[in-house]
Amino acid sequence: MKMWQRAVALLRPRADEAPVVDEAPPLRLHEVVRRFWPDLRPFRGWILLSMVLLAALPAISVVEILLFQRLVDEVLVPADYGPLLGIVALYVGLNLLSAVVSGADDYLGTWITQSFLLRLRGKAFRHALSLPLPVLAQRRLGDVLQRLSSDISQVERFMVAQLTDGFSAVVRLVFYVGALFYLSWELALAALVVVPGFWWVSAAFARFVRDLSRESSRRRGALGSVSEETLGSAALVQTAGAERQAHRRYHDQNRAMMDASLASSRVRAVFVPIIDLVELVGVLLVVSLGVWTIATDRLTLGGLLAFMTLLVQCYRPAREVGELLPDLFSATAGIERVVELLDEQPPRDRPGATALPAPAGPAAVSLRGVTAAYPDGPAVLRDLDLDVAAGERVAVVGPSGIGKSTLAYLLTRHLEPSTGTVRLAGHDLADHTLESVRSTVSIVLQEALLLDASVRDNLLLARPDADEGQLHDALRRAGATDFVEALPQGLDSRIGQRGRLLSGGQRQRLCVARALLRDTPLLVLDEPTTGLDDAAAAALLEPLTGDRARTLLVLTHDPRVLPYVDRVVDLSTLVAADAEPPPTARLAVSTGVPA
């Protein structure tokens, strides 16, 4: 027993002692079909046409093989050239027909596959982008990218490729087995004796493939996460002299991927030879009985050669049918990770929700009895009451973790209150559509979120139809005109990954300019002066003090902000004592909000 357990252990990768990414909940095969059939339903007519073409190909192949029997028995054995011309003409015609059908099937199959993936990737990307920031912050970006790229391809593999490949294998089996019985039912029965062996070995193989595929998918996600995090923080790694630690962490995940691949190789090394042995037994059995059929005139030489050709063709789809279950389990491993991401619930509008009426001027803010908590966490704010008058400049202060960023999430519905109401210009945000709420509020987050693109492209993200004058006006009001004009190409200058070709103050002012370009009645600045010296902080805040066209809410613990506002609210005096600060990981912003 111990020897058997050791042998089985060799077919599995070494355990991952400190997994970077957790396993996704398992799914049954019928659950996968039920989940993604609505996405495939629009293509069912084209899939049916593809199946017709797939069925035509083995029919043509069988005719060609039976024609080979005539070639041997009527031309080669009697050495008679008479029938040769007609047989050659038939071969040429069948070959051309097969080429046309095969080409049409290949193009149609590619179109179905890519159209399905186009639809599914767009759906998954929209869903991921709609998730609240606190939810996205809990996930590793590299792992999410892995799920949206290679893992989502497994859905197509399961729903389209395996469906058509399985149908093709079954149809080929039907045609080839039918032709085998047509030529010699005795030999056909002998040949089919080994088919249960194919399926038994494949069923045993499937269990290992399922576990290995899940582990490989998880480890790919972990490797992608470590790569993204390390390269995204290259400046930190280099300045801290942590290259060795970063390389070791990457090496550990890379080695884990290698272990999973080697385990898959060991599984194939065990099971593939067994499959080959089963196939060889069937062929040798047919050859042995074939001598008897020729000796007893039950089959001609051409018939036996045609039978052997059909038999070789028959074992291939038989093996494919046997491998269908392992392949489905393999694809399911990636699908489970996609489904886990799709099951994350984005904010949803209430039934009957309407567009938030656009205020004619600056918008008042009111929170009444608001309690808010992050997913699976304690309350961060409890029974909060807060009023900000229209056009007022208010600084909300308090220690780190008291819930200042949570307040910003509530105003944009990235987080829904557990109890209480959040009102903007007198309207309860819960009664209005998410799109209209976010189009009324602009946020400049603590992390300056910029694209690796030009200054112009970063500004137009907030307002794609803005003209040149509006762009320059936004830059002027944010105090960003001088440094933008000093760039080599002005507005068209590329600013680098996350704006790293700019200074910290320049990045913040560019984000403020983008927010001002939206021209919304409420502007929220979350820790806008973090990391800025006094001059940079003043250059950022001064242009905002005289602008009364919008309400300004500054979430900060920096006393330098206080001279620029009308009123200071200490959030620590408004939050109930039993409310707990959110975990740092939940507040780490990993994606951008148009500002």
Side-chain angles (χ1 to χ4, degrees):
M1 179 62 71
K2 290 184 177 180
M3 290 292 292
W4 171 252
Q5 291 175 345
R6 289 177 181 175
V8 171
L10 288 174
L11 300 179
R12 302 186 187 279
R14 288 183 295 182
D16 195 348
E17 297 178 357
V20 174
V21 175
D22 295 330
E23 288 187 3
L27 291 173
R28 297 180 181 275
L29 298 182
H30 68 86
E31 292 174 332
V32 176
V33 175
R34 185 170 64 245
R35 179 64 181 260
F36 291 102
W37 172 247
D39 297 290
L40 189 61
R41 185 182 292 117
F43 304 99
R44 60 185 183 275
W46 295 109
I47 293 174
L48 181 61
L49 176 59
S50 177
M51 289 180 173
V52 172
L53 295 174
L54 286 172
L57 289 172
I60 296 171
S61 179
V62 167
V63 173
E64 288 177 333
I65 293 172
L66 294 178
L67 194 60
F68 174 70
Q69 177 188 6
R70 286 189 57 193
L71 180 65
V72 173
D73 291 338
E74 298 180 16
V75 177
L76 297 180
V77 173
D80 182 5
Y81 283 99
L84 181 60
L85 186 59
I87 293 175
V88 168
L90 285 174
Y91 262 121
V92 172
L94 289 171
N95 186 266
L96 291 175
L97 179 60
S98 177
V100 171
V101 174
S102 178
D105 174 65
D106 181 69
Y107 183 84
L108 180 59
T110 302
W111 180 85
I112 293 172
T113 295
Q114 295 306 315
S115 298
F116 178 69
L117 275 176
L118 179 68
R119 179 190 184 99
L120 195 60
R121 283 176 179 152
K123 173 183 175 181
F125 185 78
R126 286 193 301 271
H127 177 82
L129 204 57
S130 72
L131 294 177
L133 294 185
V135 173
L136 280 175
Q138 296 180 58
R139 291 188 173 274
R140 294 179 181 270
L141 179 57
D143 181 56
V144 173
L145 295 176
Q146 183 72 27
R147 296 178 191 230
L148 292 176
S149 53
S150 63
D151 285 338
I152 208 167
S153 298
Q154 300 303 310
V155 181
E156 178 277 326
R157 179 182 166 198
F158 185 105
M159 295 296 295
V160 181
Q162 296 299 334
L163 170 67
T164 54
D165 289 350
F167 174 81
S168 173
V170 170
V171 169
R172 280 181 288 156
L173 267 179
V174 170
F175 276 104
Y176 294 150
V177 170
L180 290 177
F181 275 94
Y182 170 76
L183 290 172
S184 173
W185 65 268
E186 297 98 336
L187 288 182
L189 288 176
L192 295 179
V193 166
V194 300
V195 170
F198 276 124
W199 293 337
W200 179 83
V201 173
S202 297
F205 182 45
R207 291 192 294 270
F208 290 96
V209 169
R210 176 185 56 199
D211 296 339
L212 283 170
S213 298
R214 284 175 178 163
E215 188 63 14
S216 294
S217 294
R218 186 189 66 79
R219 293 185 181 188
R220 278 196 302 271
L223 182 63
S225 295
V226 169
S227 302
E228 185 276 330
E229 290 167 7
T230 304
L231 294 175
S233 306
L236 171 63
V237 173
Q238 293 173 5
T239 54
E243 288 91 346
R244 289 186 179 180
Q245 296 95 310
H247 182 266
R248 187 180 304 112
R249 189 172 180 228
Y250 181 84
H251 173 76
D252 290 343
Q253 296 304 321
N254 209 10
R255 182 58 186 264
M257 274 292 300
M258 175 182 172
D259 288 341
S261 298
L262 289 175
S264 298
S265 179
R266 290 193 293 270
V267 169
R268 289 193 300 272
V270 170
F271 286 100
V272 172
I274 296 176
I275 291 288
D276 291 339
L277 179 61
V278 172
E279 184 176 324
L280 179 61
V281 169
V283 172
L284 293 177
L285 182 59
V286 170
V287 170
S288 301
L289 292 177
V291 176
W292 169 73
T293 58
I294 293 178
T296 57
D297 292 330
R298 294 175 179 270
L299 202 61
T300 64
L301 176 61
L304 180 60
L305 293 175
F307 189 96
M308 295 299 298
T309 304
L310 283 167
L311 182 61
V312 172
Q313 296 290 334
C314 188
Y315 279 153
R316 190 177 304 164
R319 178 184 290 197
E320 290 174 6
V321 171
E323 292 174 351
L324 184 60
L325 188 60
D327 288 343
L328 289 174
F329 278 132
S330 177
T332 302
I335 295 172
E336 291 167 350
R337 289 165 43 81
V338 174
V339 169
E340 185 188 30
L341 179 63
L342 293 177
D343 282 344
E344 290 280 10
Q345 292 300 312
R348 298 188 183 279
D349 296 326
R350 288 179 179 177
T354 59
L356 180 67
V365 176
S366 175
L367 286 82
R368 285 287 178 269
V370 170
T371 296
Y374 289 91
D376 302 322
V380 179
L381 301 175
R382 189 182 297 277
D383 298 325
L384 174 65
D385 292 328
L386 176 65
D387 289 298
V388 178
E392 192 176 14
R393 268 82 177 104
V394 174
V396 178
V397 301
S400 297
I402 196 63
K404 299 188 296 295
S405 295
T406 303
L407 184 60
Y409 291 157
L410 288 168
L411 291 172
T412 51
R413 287 188 55 196
H414 282 99
L415 185 67
E416 303 284 2
S418 305
T419 59
T421 59
V422 180
R423 295 180 178 274
L424 188 65
H427 301 282
D428 187 350
L429 298 186
D431 294 332
H432 300 285
T433 62
L434 183 66
E435 182 180 3
S436 65
V437 169
R438 292 183 182 173
S439 68
T440 310
V441 182
S442 294
I443 292 187
V444 178
L445 294 166
Q446 181 175 353
E447 179 185 359
L449 299 171
L450 296 167
L451 302 177
D452 186 1
S454 68
V455 173
R456 184 189 305 275
D457 290 337
N458 275 277
L459 292 175
L460 292 177
L461 181 67
R463 190 173 174 182
D465 61 344
D467 58 31
E468 201 79 4
Q470 291 168 326
L471 295 180
H472 285 288
D473 182 61
L475 290 171
R476 178 187 57 77
R477 287 187 290 156
T481 299
D482 291 342
F483 84 79
V484 170
E485 290 181 348
L487 294 174
Q489 294 176 292
L491 279 171
D492 295 314
S493 299
R494 178 173 166 267
I495 60 175
Q497 186 185 43
R498 300 183 183 179
R500 287 174 178 165
L501 296 180
L502 304 177
S503 69
Q506 290 171 338
R507 288 197 295 269
Q508 285 285 31
R509 276 178 276 170
L510 189 55
C511 288
V512 170
R514 185 171 61 194
L516 293 173
L517 186 62
R518 296 189 72 202
D519 196 24
T520 57
L522 174 62
L523 174 61
V524 181
L525 305 180
D526 187 5
E527 301 288 3
T529 57
T530 298
L532 303 185
D533 58 28
D534 292 342
L540 176 67
L541 294 170
E542 283 178 358
L544 301 175
T545 57
D547 185 2
R548 295 285 174 171
R550 62 189 49 77
T551 303
L552 178 64
L553 196 61
V554 185
L555 315 175
T556 184
H557 64 274
D558 187 351
R560 295 178 298 176
V561 175
L562 306 187
Y564 296 93
V565 298
D566 304 324
R567 180 163 59 99
V568 178
V569 175
D570 187 350
L571 196 59
S572 62
T573 65
L574 302 180
V575 178
D578 58 345
E580 299 185 27
T584 303
R586 288 196 174 106
L587 290 179
V589 178
S590 62
T591 185
V593 180

